[in-house]
Amino acid sequence: MPLLAVTVITAVLLAWCVLSHRLARWSITAPIAMVAAGIALTSGSDPALVFDFGDMAGFEHAVEVVLALLLFVDATEVPSGAIRRQRRVVVRLLGGALPLTLAAAFLTALAFFPDRPGWVLAVLATVVVPLDLAPTAAVVRDHRIPARLREVLNVEGGLNDGIVSPVFLLCVAAAAEVHTAGDDYAEAVLDAVGAAAWALGAGSLVGYGAGWLLRRSWAKGWAQPAAMRLGVLSVPVAAYTLSSALGGNGFVASFVAGVCIAPAMRHMPENAVEMTDDLVTLLTLALWFLFGQIVTDEFWDGFHLSVVLYALLAVSLVRIVPVLLVLIGTDLPLSDRLFLGWMGPRGVTSVVFGLLAALELRGGSGGDFISRVMVITVLVSIVLHGLSSEPLARRYARNRRATPAPTA
């Protein structure tokens, strides 16, 4: 990345930080600001900035590392108390609504793009389904939203993308066979399963081992707080590199490591994951800026109405209907079920999955197709979910004021 680009990205970030409180009134989050800046500075016949993604291998590894750190932080920040309190709802969402949403995204893609190979559409479904609360992060911190709903979104957002990751890898492996005119799907799927198994082993080994060491070290007073933060940062890096060296998938290993180390982190300093979290925030914001150029490139030759319609369905009914179905019989009122169904923003995980799929399937129309649909889906989600978060919070606040206090 050119040094000038780094300067521009940091300047945009600083400007957003200075005005963050005022911009929050219009639901302009840091990711939205970075995307807007990226589009503005990379568009036109003579753009101010141009990013060259020529080194595909290096770019792919960089994207994977960003995803690895993101999945690790998501896994470690899922509050265990919230899982226990909201177990019934979370199990229904992850065990019922998530598979149904994947199936709905695939069937909808099949209806809109019948000429595309089935495995390519399966990859597309795994790209457009994962949640990312970053574009609407204010929702999970807004106390006008009932605490129960915020807890459910926190838990689902932390685990959703990690659960989809192995499915994404399996579908990409099979789609790559279609892309190369091969027909040995079984071998491709077995290779993907083997990579997932190595990732599971490496992530478990690093996560449990590092968690045990860091917990004992802190309990005995052997480590300083700053060293604990560095120690936690080393865990996803070690899981990623070990898994990759063994032939496994690095970002799945990092997610597994985060799940395994999470219980030990409750006995460490509260800010132990802050350094990793801050690094992830910076890297993902840089990725959002690069996403601006991807948007520019995809829109340069126009876009198809079918892609826009699919994106609109993907961020709305494709999730809302499964969520409403699986939450039948719970004590959540219909308004809360609709809120959980609607509040499923797409973000960095979809961007990274889409980029990785495009890189794996490059040289044909499959990769370009997935990249184009991903771009439109994420843009639609940023606009719709970003703009609706503040009105939804105000609605809950009005309902709370209108509800009479219980009498003694």
Side-chain angles (χ1 to χ4, degrees):
M1 184 183 294
L3 291 179
L4 177 60
V6 176
T7 303
V8 172
I9 291 173
T10 53
V12 173
L13 177 59
L14 179 61
W16 179 85
C17 292
V18 170
L19 300 171
S20 58
H21 184 67
R22 289 184 174 274
L23 292 175
R25 299 177 184 176
W26 295 282
S27 300
I28 300 177
T29 61
I32 293 176
M34 298 301 283
V35 172
I39 294 173
L41 294 172
T42 61
S43 60
S45 57
D46 186 21
L49 292 174
V50 177
F51 298 99
D52 182 12
F53 303 121
D55 183 8
M56 289 301 181
F59 182 64
E60 183 174 359
H61 284 305
V63 169
E64 282 194 356
V65 169
V66 173
L67 180 60
L69 294 172
L70 175 64
L71 292 176
F72 175 81
V73 171
D74 283 349
T76 57
E77 290 189 337
V78 173
S80 60
I83 295 178
R84 288 193 300 269
R85 287 189 296 271
Q86 311 300 340
R87 182 173 60 253
R88 288 186 60 197
V89 175
V90 169
V91 168
R92 289 187 182 214
L93 289 175
L94 296 177
L98 180 54
L100 288 175
T101 303
L102 285 169
F106 172 75
L107 293 175
T108 305
L110 197 61
F112 275 88
F113 316 109
D115 57 327
R116 299 288 178 176
W119 282 112
V120 172
L121 298 181
V123 174
L124 177 62
T126 62
V127 168
V128 301
V129 162
L131 272 64
D132 178 19
L133 297 176
T136 57
V139 170
V140 294
R141 296 193 297 266
D142 196 326
H143 291 279
R144 292 173 296 179
I145 305 294
R148 183 180 186 184
L149 299 182
R150 288 185 280 117
E151 284 188 339
V152 169
L153 285 176
N154 259 324
V155 176
E156 187 189 11
L159 299 177
N160 175 285
D161 45 6
I163 294 172
V164 175
S165 297
V167 183
F168 166 76
L169 294 174
L170 289 172
C171 294
V172 167
E177 284 295 310
V178 175
H179 177 66
T180 57
D183 57 0
D184 197 349
Y185 302 113
E187 183 179 352
V189 171
L190 285 175
D191 288 343
V193 171
W198 280 116
L200 178 63
S204 300
L205 176 64
V206 173
Y208 281 124
W212 183 82
L213 286 172
L214 291 171
R215 177 180 176 178
R216 285 185 62 84
S217 173
W218 180 251
K220 293 181 177 296
W222 294 346
Q224 299 174 334
M228 295 294 289
R229 293 193 291 272
L230 283 172
V232 171
L233 175 59
S234 71
V235 174
V237 178
Y240 176 87
T241 52
L242 176 60
S243 178
S244 299
L246 294 174
N249 186 271
F251 58 77
V252 173
S254 296
F255 174 76
V256 174
V259 172
C260 293
I261 199 177
M265 290 190 64
R266 292 195 287 273
H267 305 279
M268 301 180 199
E270 291 184 359
N271 61 353
V273 77
E274 278 189 2
M275 180 182 291
T276 310
D277 194 12
D278 290 341
L279 178 60
V280 168
T281 301
L282 287 173
L283 291 176
T284 53
L285 288 176
L287 189 59
W288 278 118
F289 190 90
L290 294 178
F291 179 71
Q293 174 167 323
I294 299 172
V295 172
T296 301
D297 294 341
E298 294 297 339
F299 273 93
W300 189 254
D301 296 323
F303 54 90
H304 298 288
L305 179 61
S306 59
V307 174
V308 178
L309 292 176
Y310 177 79
L312 286 168
L313 289 174
V315 302
S316 57
L317 292 179
V318 162
R319 170 177 164 85
I320 292 173
V321 173
V323 168
L324 291 179
L325 286 175
V326 301
L327 293 182
I328 292 174
T330 63
D331 59 348
L332 288 170
L334 179 59
S335 59
D336 288 353
R337 281 179 270 161
L338 285 170
F339 175 83
L340 291 176
W342 168 250
M343 196 49 64
R346 279 41 163 200
V348 167
T349 307
S350 291
V351 174
V352 173
F353 279 3
L355 290 175
L356 292 177
L359 291 171
E360 289 295 325
L361 304 176
R362 62 181 177 271
S365 59
D368 293 339
F369 164 71
I370 290 174
S371 176
R372 185 176 301 111
V373 179
M374 174 273 291
V375 166
I376 302 300
T377 303
V378 172
L379 273 181
V380 168
S381 176
I382 287 176
V383 173
L384 294 183
H385 291 114
L387 294 180
S388 63
S389 57
E390 178 62 23
L392 286 172
R394 287 199 297 266
R395 177 182 176 278
Y396 272 106
R398 287 197 303 270
N399 290 347
R400 183 176 300 177
R401 289 194 297 268
T403 302
T407 58

